[in-house]
Amino acid sequence: MESLTSRMQAVQSPIIPVVGELIKNSPGTISLGQGVVYYNPPPEAREFLAKFFAEPTNNLYKSVEGIPPLLTSLVGKLQAFNNIEINGENCIVVTAGSNMGFMNAILAITNPGDEIILNTPYYFNHEMAIAMAGCRAVLVATDENYQLRKEAIAQAITPKTRAVVTISPNNPTGVVYSEAALRQVNQICGDRGIYHISDEAYEYFTYNGVKHVSPGAFGNSSKYTISLFSLSKAYGFASWRIGYMVIPKHLFVAVKKVQDTILICPPVISQYAALGALQAKEEYLQNNIGALAQPAVGIAQVRQLVLNSLNRLQGLCSITPANGAFYFFLKVNTQMDAFELVQRLIQEHKVAVIPGTTFGMDDGCYLRVAYGALQKETAKEGIERLVQGLETIVRS
C-alpha cells in the first residue's frame, strides 16, 4: 500500500497548517497569516440557538439546499445589499462555507480535463479544488496593481474552458475590482458561453468610499453567473461553516447531487445561528469592520495602522494599494525564497505571514499580510515585528 498513488499527489498542500506548525514551535509569535477576524458572532446568532434546541426534529437531516427560514432571509439580504434578485432563473444553496460552494460549482459544471481560468495571484483553495476535480487551472496574470486584464482573460479561453473566476474584494491582494472591469469579464463569459464564478466572501470589507459590486446583479447574467458568499468573515463565523451560493437554476440538480453526497445538508445548528446573525443590527458590522460609516473603528482602523507601518518599507517592498478585504500583498525586493523568509520571520522575529508561492506567485518573493484577526494593540506590535524583521533579514 505504500506505493499507492492518487490524484491528491498533484494537489498542493494547504499552507495554513504548515505555517501553524511553525508558529506552534515558536511560542509568542503574532500571526499575520490566517484570514479570520478578531471579533465574535453577534449575540443574535447565539440567541437563535434556543430555537434550534426547541424543535426535536432539528436533530434529523434537513433539506440539502438549506432550511426555508434561512433561504428566505438570504433572499432579502441579496436584494438589499447585492441587488441580486432571486427569480425563476436562479436559486440559493446554503453550503458548509463558501469553499464548499466553489467545489460544488466546479464539480457541477466540469468534466475531467476541462479548464478553469484563475487570475493570479489566485486563492490557493480554488486551485486545489480544480486539481481535485481532474481539471486544469489556466493562470492569467493581473496587471501591476493586481487588477483584471480582460484582453488576457479573453485570449486564455479555449473550447475546454468552463469558467472564469474572480474574487473581489480579493484574497490575497486586498484589491477591489471596478464595476466596469467586472462587467467586462461577465460579458465575455456570457458571449463565450461559459460561467463567471464570483467569490464575494469579503463583500463587506471595503474602504475609502469604495463599494462592493456583485456580477450576479448585472442584467441577464443570472443564467451563467455563480456567486459565492460566506458568513465566516463579516460575522465571525469561521468555525460555524456557513456560506451560500447563488446559481443558475439549471445547475440546481447537479449541485444538489454534489452536496447530498459530500454533506447531505449544511449543519442545521449552524444554519439557525446564521439566521440569527442576519438579524444583527447594522451597528454590528459598522463597529467591527468600520469600513464606510466609521473608518476610525474596527478593522478599518487596524488597516490604517498597518498601512502606516508598511509604508516605512518603501524601497524594500512594493506595496500595492488595496481597498478591500483585510490583506496586503507585498513584493519583497530580495532573491530569497518566500517560504525561507517566512520561516526566518517566525523563528527570528516571532511574526508570521503567508508566502506568495502558495498563491501561484513564483516569479519573485511575495508575502500576504493578514490583519483581520488583530486588535489595535496586537496589530501595532505584530506589524512592527514584521517591518523590523524584513529590514533586518533582507538588508543583512
Side-chain angles (χ1 to χ4, degrees):
M1 294 297 289
E2 291 182 3
S3 63
L4 180 66
T5 59
S6 79
R7 71 182 69 194
M8 299 309 295
Q9 287 185 301
V11 179
Q12 67 165 300
S13 296
I15 191 66
I16 298 298
V18 174
V19 173
E21 191 64 24
L22 291 171
I23 293 171
K24 181 180 175 181
N25 294 329
S26 185
T29 296
I30 294 176
S31 177
L32 304 173
Q34 193 162 25
V36 293
V37 296
Y38 69 85
Y39 53 87
N40 294 320
E44 291 87 346
R46 297 189 294 275
E47 292 164 6
F48 266 64
L49 295 182
K51 297 179 182 290
F52 168 83
F53 289 112
E55 176 50 66
T57 64
N58 280 335
N59 293 312
L60 304 175
Y61 296 128
K62 296 298 180 181
S63 299
V64 175
E65 65 270 28
I67 59 175
L70 180 55
L71 292 170
T72 299
S73 184
L74 291 172
V75 168
K77 178 269 177 184
L78 288 163
Q79 179 72 64
F81 187 80
N82 305 95
N83 295 318
I84 295 176
E85 180 184 356
I86 301 302
N87 49 44
E89 294 182 343
N90 59 10
C91 59
I92 305 169
V93 175
V94 179
T95 60
S98 61
N99 271 5
M100 183 172 192
F102 186 82
M103 191 82 240
N104 285 352
I106 295 301
L107 291 174
I109 68 174
T110 65
N111 291 308
D114 284 343
E115 298 173 350
I116 304 292
I117 293 176
L118 298 182
N119 296 281
T120 57
Y122 53 65
Y123 172 44
F124 56 85
N125 281 134
H126 285 174
E127 190 271 342
M128 293 167 67
I130 293 164
M132 287 180 194
C135 297
R136 188 170 79 90
V138 174
L139 308 183
V140 174
T142 50
D143 69 15
E144 64 277 7
N145 292 314
Y146 303 122
Q147 294 292 329
L148 299 171
R149 296 163 58 233
K150 65 180 188 300
E151 296 86 0
I153 291 172
Q155 289 173 3
I157 296 173
T158 74
K160 288 189 174 184
T161 304
R162 293 293 171 262
V164 176
V165 179
T166 60
I167 311 170
S168 183
N170 188 260
N171 177 11
T173 66
V175 304
V176 180
Y177 301 145
S178 68
E179 179 176 347
L182 288 170
R183 281 188 179 277
Q184 289 166 344
V185 172
N186 193 261
Q187 186 65 52
I188 290 169
C189 292
D191 291 344
R192 303 291 285 272
I194 61 178
Y195 294 97
H196 181 182
I197 302 177
S198 173
D199 186 329
E200 304 175 38
Y202 300 89
E203 57 184 328
Y204 291 103
F205 297 84
T206 57
Y207 316 99
N208 296 324
V210 174
K211 292 187 177 181
H212 174 67
V213 176
S214 294
F218 301 156
N220 301 318
S221 71
S222 56
K223 292 180 180 179
Y224 58 88
T225 303
I226 299 170
S227 305
L228 307 178
F229 302 96
S230 174
L231 271 71
S232 294
K233 312 303 180 184
Y235 290 96
F237 250 60
S239 71
W240 290 87
R241 306 315 304 135
I242 291 292
Y244 55 100
M245 55 195 308
V246 179
I247 59 174
K249 195 67 174 283
H250 64 259
L251 291 177
F252 186 53
V253 171
V255 167
K256 283 183 69 174
K257 288 180 182 179
V258 177
Q259 182 140 304
D260 182 71
T261 301
I262 297 174
L263 187 68
I264 299 182
C265 67
V268 178
I269 189 170
S270 295
Q271 291 189 69
Y272 270 81
L275 185 58
L278 293 171
Q279 317 299 316
K281 297 179 177 61
E282 191 174 333
E283 287 78 10
Y284 170 81
L285 294 177
Q286 290 179 352
N287 292 336
N288 287 308
I289 300 174
L292 289 175
Q294 300 184 62
V297 301
I299 287 179
Q301 185 181 29
V302 172
R303 173 185 175 275
Q304 191 56 54
L305 185 153
V306 170
L307 187 58
N308 290 344
S309 292
L310 288 178
N311 281 334
R312 288 164 41 199
L313 294 172
Q314 296 290 346
L316 195 67
C317 298
S318 299
I319 305 167
T320 299
N323 288 314
F326 37 74
Y327 305 114
F328 288 110
F329 201 63
L330 312 183
K331 183 176 183 181
V332 186
N333 299 327
T334 178
Q335 298 299 313
M336 187 181 299
D337 173 76
F339 186 70
E340 179 189 348
L341 180 54
V342 167
Q343 286 180 299
R344 290 190 59 183
L345 285 168
I346 294 172
Q347 293 165 354
E348 299 171 19
H349 297 275
K350 294 194 180 300
V351 61
V353 290
I354 302 297
T357 44
T358 199
F359 305 101
M361 301 296 281
D362 52 13
D363 62 339
C365 184
Y366 296 84
L367 303 174
R368 188 190 74 173
V369 178
Y371 54 87
L374 306 178
Q375 299 194 48
K376 187 168 68 171
E377 297 75 15
T378 319
K380 186 172 184 179
E381 174 64 22
I383 204 66
E384 282 300 310
R385 292 184 190 182
L386 177 64
V387 169
Q388 292 175 13
L390 287 174
E391 289 177 335
T392 300
I393 295 169
V394 177
R395 286 184 172 145
S396 62

